[in-house]
């Protein structure tokens, strides 16, 4: 997948949507205004640019205020991050929080997925129609959420997930084409989701991705089977994506 192309498209949409009233509340991040959202994305971009330059997590962080507005900071952050991406091959070394993948390619993927979710936040906040998510990007996003943010993280930082994992010994859900099982040891993922599970979450790739990130409610997807297991999964996802 060409992550840099989809990243640029969603960044430009984010800039376009947030050119108006930055005091609007973000319904999917209730503690934030649009101004806060823009500031957050700007600092995420600046952080990743610094990570690639240093091949290490920058300390201290965040940097001291510069007097730039959030919109100016977003523009600079994107420019600095993009320059680092263009200058480096995907397999080049870059520090990440995901131990199995310490490459620039990890951040290309993560920033493409981060940006599409936050431009949806901006669209919801500003009350404008939401642009569609390309199917390949949505499928890739589902894979990232399930394999990395949920399955890997549940075993890397089990304390964060213990309360919900303890409720699910032997639980299995089919989410789109992925088979998701969990017990007190953590979450496991298989891409052979034809097995019958306790429940099923289906729909278009875009709808499922939005549901996983809590950017769409249950009406966006088709839910079947044990509703209690679906709710357990939603709680696990809440921990994984917060």
């Amino acid at each position: 997948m060409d992550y840099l192309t989809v990243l640029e498209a969603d960044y430009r949409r984010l800039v376009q949507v947030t050119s108006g009233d930055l005091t609007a509340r973000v319904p999917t991040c209730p503690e934030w205004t649009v101004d806060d959202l823009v500031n957050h994305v700007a600092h995420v971009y600046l952080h990743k640019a610094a990570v690639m330059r240093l091949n290490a997590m920058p300390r201290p962080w965040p940097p001291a205020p510069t007097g730039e507005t959030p919109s100016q900071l977003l523009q600079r952050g994107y420019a600095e991050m993009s320059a680092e991406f263009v200058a480096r091959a995907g397999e080049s070394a870059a520090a990440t929080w995901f131990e199995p993948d310490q490459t620039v390619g990890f951040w290309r993927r993560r920033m493409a997925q981060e940006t599409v979710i936050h431009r949806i936040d901006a669209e919801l906040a500003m009350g404008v129609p939401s642009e569609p998510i390309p199917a390949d990007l949505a499928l890739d996003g589902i894979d990232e959420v399930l394999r990395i943010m949920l399955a890997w993280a549940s075993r890397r930082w089990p304390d964060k997930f213990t309360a919900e994992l303890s409720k699910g010994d032997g639980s299995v859900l089919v989410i789109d084409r992925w088979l998701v099982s969990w017990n007190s040891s953590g979450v496991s993922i298989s891409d052979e989701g034809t097995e019958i599970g306790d429940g099923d979450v289906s729909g278009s790739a875009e709808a499922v991705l939005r549901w996983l990130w809590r950017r769409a409610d249950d009406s966006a997807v088709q839910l079947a089977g044990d509703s209690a297991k679906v709710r357990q999964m939603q709680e696990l996802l809440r921990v994984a994506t917060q």
Side-chain angles (χ1 to χ4, degrees):
M1 169 177 290
D2 185 350
Y3 290 114
L4 298 187
T5 296
V6 293
L7 169 60
E8 181 178 10
D10 282 315
Y11 162 73
R12 294 192 180 283
R13 174 63 173 167
L14 176 64
V15 169
Q16 176 190 36
V17 171
T18 58
S19 62
D21 178 15
L22 299 186
T23 66
R25 307 302 299 187
V26 182
T28 41
C29 304
E31 71 278 14
W32 282 357
T33 63
V34 173
D35 196 65
D36 295 322
L37 173 65
V38 171
N39 188 64
H40 167 76
V41 177
H43 279 90
V44 168
Y45 288 169
L46 288 167
H47 183 265
K48 301 311 168 285
V51 165
M52 286 184 280
R53 283 195 299 266
L54 300 170
N55 192 17
M57 297 297 168
R59 299 286 189 271
W61 192 266
T66 60
E68 294 165 284
T69 67
S71 295
Q72 291 169 336
L73 204 62
L74 178 66
Q75 182 177 0
R76 179 164 68 86
Y78 181 76
E80 290 187 15
M81 181 182 69
S82 295
E84 295 298 327
F85 280 146
V86 170
R88 300 168 191 275
E91 63 271 19
S92 299
T96 81
W97 47 261
F98 180 55
E99 292 161 8
D101 188 351
Q102 300 289 299
T103 69
V104 169
F106 174 86
W107 288 124
R108 288 181 177 180
R109 181 192 203 191
R110 179 81 285 280
M111 290 301 96
Q113 296 296 341
E114 175 93 359
T115 303
V116 71
I117 294 301
H118 284 318
R119 69 92 165 153
I120 291 169
D121 290 331
E123 290 167 337
L124 291 170
M126 301 305 286
V128 298
S130 187
E131 294 287 327
I133 304 173
D136 56 349
L137 181 65
L139 284 169
D140 182 74
I142 296 169
D143 187 81
E144 184 200 43
V145 171
L146 295 179
R147 292 187 187 278
I148 297 178
M149 296 189 166
L150 183 58
W152 182 82
S154 72
R155 297 174 188 275
R156 177 63 178 82
W157 298 292
D159 290 351
K160 293 184 177 181
F161 295 84
T162 298
E164 294 307 319
L165 289 174
S166 65
K167 303 174 185 176
D169 278 3
S171 298
V172 178
L173 278 185
V174 179
I175 299 180
D176 196 87
R177 65 188 65 180
W178 289 263
L179 190 68
V180 185
S181 59
W182 67 101
N183 55 38
S184 55
S185 299
V187 179
S188 297
I189 306 295
S190 169
D191 57 5
E192 299 176 357
T194 56
E195 181 178 325
I196 297 174
D198 299 308
D200 184 272
V201 180
S202 61
S204 69
E206 174 174 357
V208 172
L209 180 65
R210 288 175 183 256
W211 184 86
L212 291 172
W213 277 98
R214 305 185 309 286
R215 267 58 181 188
D217 62 23
D218 291 350
S219 66
V221 294
Q222 289 78 55
L223 302 176
D226 189 335
S227 61
K229 299 299 185 184
V230 174
R231 298 296 165 243
Q232 286 176 19
M233 176 51 55
Q234 287 179 308
E235 285 304 303
L236 287 167
L237 287 164
R238 180 188 59 77
V239 175
T241 59
Q242 65 186 0

